[in-house]
Amino acid sequence: MKPSQCLTLAAILLLSSGISQAEPVTLDAEPVRVSMFKNGLAMVTSQTEVPSAGEYQIAAPQARYGSLWLSWEPGVSLTGILAAQRTQSEDQIAETPWEVLVANPETLASIKLENSDEWIEGTLVASAIPEGSDGRRNIFRDDDNHDKAALFKTAKGTLVIAPYLIEAVRFGEGDIKTVVARQIKRHMLTFNASEGEGEGNHLKSSYLAWGLAWSPSYAIHLTGDNSAHLSCKAVIVNDLMDLENVDVELVAGFPNLQHAAAPTAMGPWTLRRLLESLQSDDFDLSNALSNQSSGGYGGRSSGGMFGDSDDEDYPNVDNPITGENTEDLYFYQVGEMTLAKGERGYYPLVSANVPARDIYTWDVDGLGDDSDHYSQGPEGESQSVWHSLELTNTTDQPWTTAAGMTIKDGRVLGQDVLHYTPPGGTSLLRITQAVSINAGRNEYEVDRERDATSFYGRAYDKVTVEGTLSITNYKAEAVTIKVNKLVTGEVVSAEGGPEVVKLAGGLQRVNPRSKLTWETEVPPGREQAVKIVYRYSFYTR
C-alpha cells in the first residue's frame, strides 16, 4: 500500500471516531444584473441575503484580475473576508463500481479486482469519500483515485485495497443505493457577519467574468424609393451561469479591459501562476476584432442599385429596446432575462425604416509601394467594382459593428460587415461585386526629365505619368459610382473635378501621396462609357 493510501486510511479512521469541525453556513449568491460585451466578458452583479450574525460562505466568483468588489448594506457589517479551497459533501449519482460500493456500506457484496477472475465476497467497512466536480474546470480532482484506500471485510480477514482496482461489484437480491456523497472541492469566500447600524442586510459582489457574450447582426430589406427596413437582433450566448429574471444590458463600444485574461488574486492560483498571467502578452484583448473597429465609424466603402420592392416579410420589433450613452460606450437595455447556462437567446434590438442610397464603388489598385517602386501590372486589367448600399442612421441609437445581410423580395443578395454608425452618420454596406460594370485603368509615361533634382545627395529623374480610368455600364439603367484612386507623387491635373486629399502617411518618402475621389453617373451602354484622364509626376532613381 502506498504511503498516500496509509494517510488517507488514517483520515478515514479519524472521521469515523467522530472528530469534526463546524462549517460556515453556505449562502447562495444570485445574479441580479449583467452588462455583457461582445468578446465573451460580462460585468456581473450578484446579491446575497445575510440572515443574521454568524460565519458564512459563498462560492467565490470566477472573476478576472482587479475586478472583484464586495459591498454590503448598512444593516450588516462584514469582517474577516477570506478566500480558500473548501471541501463540501454533495449527493451525486455513482459513476464507478467503487462508488456504488461506497453507497451501500455494510451490504454483502462480491467484488472482482482488475486482472483477476476471482470474486471476493464481503462488506465494505471503511472507505475514502469519493471526490467530485463542482461543474467548473476542476483543477483538484484525481480522476483515477490512486491515492484512496478502502477496507473490505471478508471471511478470511480484512482487505486493504485501492478503489481504482475494483473492476466490478455484484450484489444479492434487493434494492441497492446508487447515490453517493462525493467530496466537492470548491473555492469559497468566507466572512463573519454582525449586525450593522442601518437598514438592509444584502451582500453584493461585482466582477468581470468570462462566459457571456452577445452577437449582433442586421437584416436590411430593400423597400424601394431610396429606403430600406433595417432590423437588428442580438443572440446571447450563456456559458457562465443560470440567469433568472436578471437585469441585462448589452454594451457596444471599444472597452479597454487590459487585465481581463488574468485571474483574480482571490482565486485558487499559486502566486507564481498569478504573476505569470499578469506578465504574459496573451491577455492583451483584441477588442478591435471582437467589438467596434477603432478606425472611424464610416468603415470601408462599397457599392449598389435596386428598384422598388413589395417585400414586407421582414422582422418588426413591437417594442424596440432602448439604450443610453455612458462616456464612449452605448448600453442597450434588454431588461429582465431568464436564460439557463448552456442556452442561447434571441432578442430583437432595432427595427426602423432608414434612407438607403444605391452606389457602386471602385477602389483603383495602387501602382506604387512604400519604397516608391512602380508596377502597373497587366495592361488593361479589369478591376473589381462593388455594389453597395449607403445607409443613413436616422434612429436615436448607434449601430454597432456586425454582419449585415441585404435582402430583396425574400432573396439574399449579399452579406458583409456594417460598421459602427452613430445617429446621423452614414455607412456603406457591400452587397456583391458588380459584374455588369466593367472598369479598367491604364497609365503611360509621357515625359521624363533626367537628373531633375537631388535628394540626400542622390540624383532623381522626374517622370510624368498620364492615366485613364474607363468605366462601362452594361446594366439597363444609369448608376452612380464612387472611384477612389491613390497617387504617389504630385497631382498635375485630373478631369471630373475629383476631391484631392494629401495623405500624411510616409512623410519621409521623396514623393507625397494623395487620394483622389470622383463620384460620377455612368449611363448604360458600351457607347456611353466614361473615361477619366489624370496626370501626376513623381521622382525616381
Side-chain angles (χ1 to χ4, degrees):
M1 185 167 55
K2 299 180 183 178
S4 60
Q5 294 173 345
C6 294
L7 292 175
T8 305
L9 184 57
I12 296 170
L13 298 177
L14 284 173
L15 288 172
S16 64
S17 66
I19 300 176
S20 62
Q21 183 178 359
E23 283 289 319
V25 177
T26 300
L27 302 176
D28 291 328
E30 302 293 341
V32 294
R33 183 179 177 84
V34 170
S35 300
M36 65 182 71
F37 298 91
K38 290 191 283 182
N39 60 0
L41 278 172
M43 190 69 184
V44 180
T45 300
S46 295
Q47 183 172 278
T48 304
E49 183 177 0
V50 183
S52 60
E55 186 178 8
Y56 298 95
Q57 64 180 5
I58 61 173
Q62 302 178 60
R64 313 318 300 162
Y65 183 80
S67 69
L68 176 60
W69 293 92
L70 304 177
S71 61
W72 45 90
E73 294 176 331
V76 65
S77 178
L78 269 58
T79 59
I81 302 174
L82 302 173
Q85 178 188 334
R86 294 184 177 272
T87 302
Q88 297 176 317
S89 180
E90 184 174 301
D91 288 342
Q92 295 184 356
I93 299 296
E95 296 178 351
T96 65
W98 168 53
E99 291 182 348
V100 176
L101 197 62
V102 171
N104 296 271
E106 305 295 338
T107 301
L108 187 63
S110 298
I111 62 173
K112 187 165 74 74
L113 301 181
E114 191 178 273
N115 299 323
S116 173
D117 295 329
E118 181 184 2
W119 286 90
I120 305 172
E121 187 178 75
T123 57
L124 184 71
V125 294
S127 175
I129 300 174
E131 291 183 0
S133 169
D134 65 353
R136 306 184 187 185
R137 184 178 62 87
N138 198 308
I139 62 174
F140 308 113
R141 185 176 181 184
D142 179 4
D143 290 318
D144 290 332
N145 292 299
H146 281 202
D147 60 345
K148 305 296 185 294
L151 299 182
F152 192 72
K153 188 176 181 179
T154 72
K156 297 180 180 180
T158 301
L159 293 177
V160 180
I161 55 177
Y164 74 92
L165 293 176
I166 300 175
E167 189 175 82
V169 178
R170 185 170 61 196
F171 292 92
E173 295 181 357
D175 296 333
I176 61 172
K177 297 177 181 178
T178 58
V179 174
V180 64
R182 285 206 187 98
Q183 293 297 96
I184 309 297
K185 293 184 178 181
R186 289 189 173 95
H187 200 66
M188 307 294 289
L189 289 181
T190 63
F191 55 89
N192 294 309
S194 59
E195 292 186 4
E197 299 179 352
E199 296 182 357
N201 62 340
H202 289 99
L203 164 66
K204 288 188 177 181
S205 55
S206 299
Y207 55 94
L208 277 172
W210 286 108
L212 274 168
W214 71 289
S215 175
S217 57
Y218 297 93
I220 296 90
H221 291 255
L222 300 175
T223 57
D225 296 327
N226 293 322
S227 66
H229 187 89
L230 179 142
S231 303
C232 178
K233 75 172 187 299
V235 173
I236 295 180
V237 178
N238 181 8
D239 287 339
L240 179 62
M241 61 176 64
D242 290 339
L243 303 178
E244 184 175 355
N245 298 325
V246 175
D247 185 22
V248 172
E249 58 185 10
L250 312 177
V251 187
F254 190 79
N256 181 27
L257 303 171
Q258 182 67 25
H259 304 297
T264 175
M266 292 286 281
W269 331 110
T270 64
L271 179 60
R272 178 189 294 273
R273 179 176 174 184
L274 178 64
L275 294 178
E276 286 176 350
S277 67
L278 290 173
Q279 294 168 358
S280 171
D281 291 332
D282 294 338
F283 67 81
D284 188 10
L285 298 180
S286 300
N287 286 310
L289 298 179
S290 55
N291 288 284
Q292 265 59 260
S293 167
S294 59
Y297 72 83
R300 56 185 180 179
S301 58
S302 327
M305 162 130 355
F306 294 107
D308 294 341
S309 169
D310 296 328
D311 179 26
E312 295 185 357
D313 186 21
Y314 46 76
N316 284 297
V317 181
D318 294 333
N319 298 296
I321 288 176
T322 59
E324 61 183 38
N325 280 301
T326 301
E327 298 299 336
D328 295 313
L329 300 177
Y330 188 83
F331 296 81
Y332 294 95
Q333 307 296 326
V334 178
E336 288 192 354
M337 176 186 298
T338 297
L339 192 68
K341 180 179 178 180
E343 290 184 340
R344 275 71 176 132
Y346 181 106
Y347 300 90
L349 294 182
V350 177
S351 179
N353 293 315
V354 299
R357 183 170 77 106
D358 297 296
I359 191 169
Y360 291 78
T361 59
W362 173 22
D363 293 329
V364 183
D365 292 345
L367 301 174
D369 59 20
D370 290 339
S371 300
D372 289 341
H373 296 144
Y374 182 90
S375 175
Q376 164 140 327
E379 184 174 341
E381 180 182 17
S382 180
Q383 304 272 298
S384 295
V385 177
W386 280 89
H387 186 178
S388 297
L389 208 58
E390 184 183 76
L391 300 168
T392 302
N393 185 357
T394 54
T395 72
D396 57 359
Q397 297 177 320
W399 298 341
T400 186
T401 301
M405 186 165 60
T406 306
I407 302 169
K408 182 182 180 183
D409 297 329
R411 296 186 178 98
V412 176
L413 303 179
Q415 185 187 51
D416 209 287
V417 176
L418 180 63
H419 291 272
Y420 178 83
T421 311
T426 61
S427 186
L428 285 177
L429 175 66
R430 281 185 174 182
I431 301 174
T432 186
Q433 287 197 22
V435 294
S436 297
I437 308 296
N438 183 268
R441 58 107 176 95
N442 286 298
E443 290 190 348
Y444 302 98
E445 178 180 328
V446 294
D447 186 61
R448 178 182 292 263
E449 183 180 349
R450 298 288 186 182
D451 297 331
T453 189
S454 63
F455 297 100
Y456 314 112
R458 297 179 177 179
Y460 281 77
D461 294 351
K462 182 179 180 180
V463 178
T464 301
V465 172
E466 181 176 282
T468 302
L469 303 176
S470 302
I471 309 169
T472 305
N473 176 15
Y474 291 100
K475 296 176 70 69
E477 66 278 339
V479 299
T480 300
I481 186 167
K482 179 182 286 186
V483 182
N484 299 304
K485 162 71 179 170
L486 289 177
V487 168
T488 299
E490 291 286 350
V491 177
V492 177
S493 62
E495 296 178 352
E499 178 187 10
V500 181
V501 178
K502 283 201 170 183
L503 306 177
L507 295 176
Q508 294 181 340
R509 289 197 299 259
V510 169
N511 294 295
R513 279 198 169 183
S514 301
K515 179 181 179 181
L516 283 68
T517 301
W518 293 266
E519 184 168 321
T520 184
E521 185 173 282
V522 183
R526 183 172 184 175
E527 65 281 356
Q528 300 191 74
V530 171
K531 294 185 181 295
I532 301 173
V533 179
Y534 56 91
R535 282 195 177 196
Y536 64 95
S537 61
F538 68 97
Y539 293 98
T540 184
R541 289 190 289 118

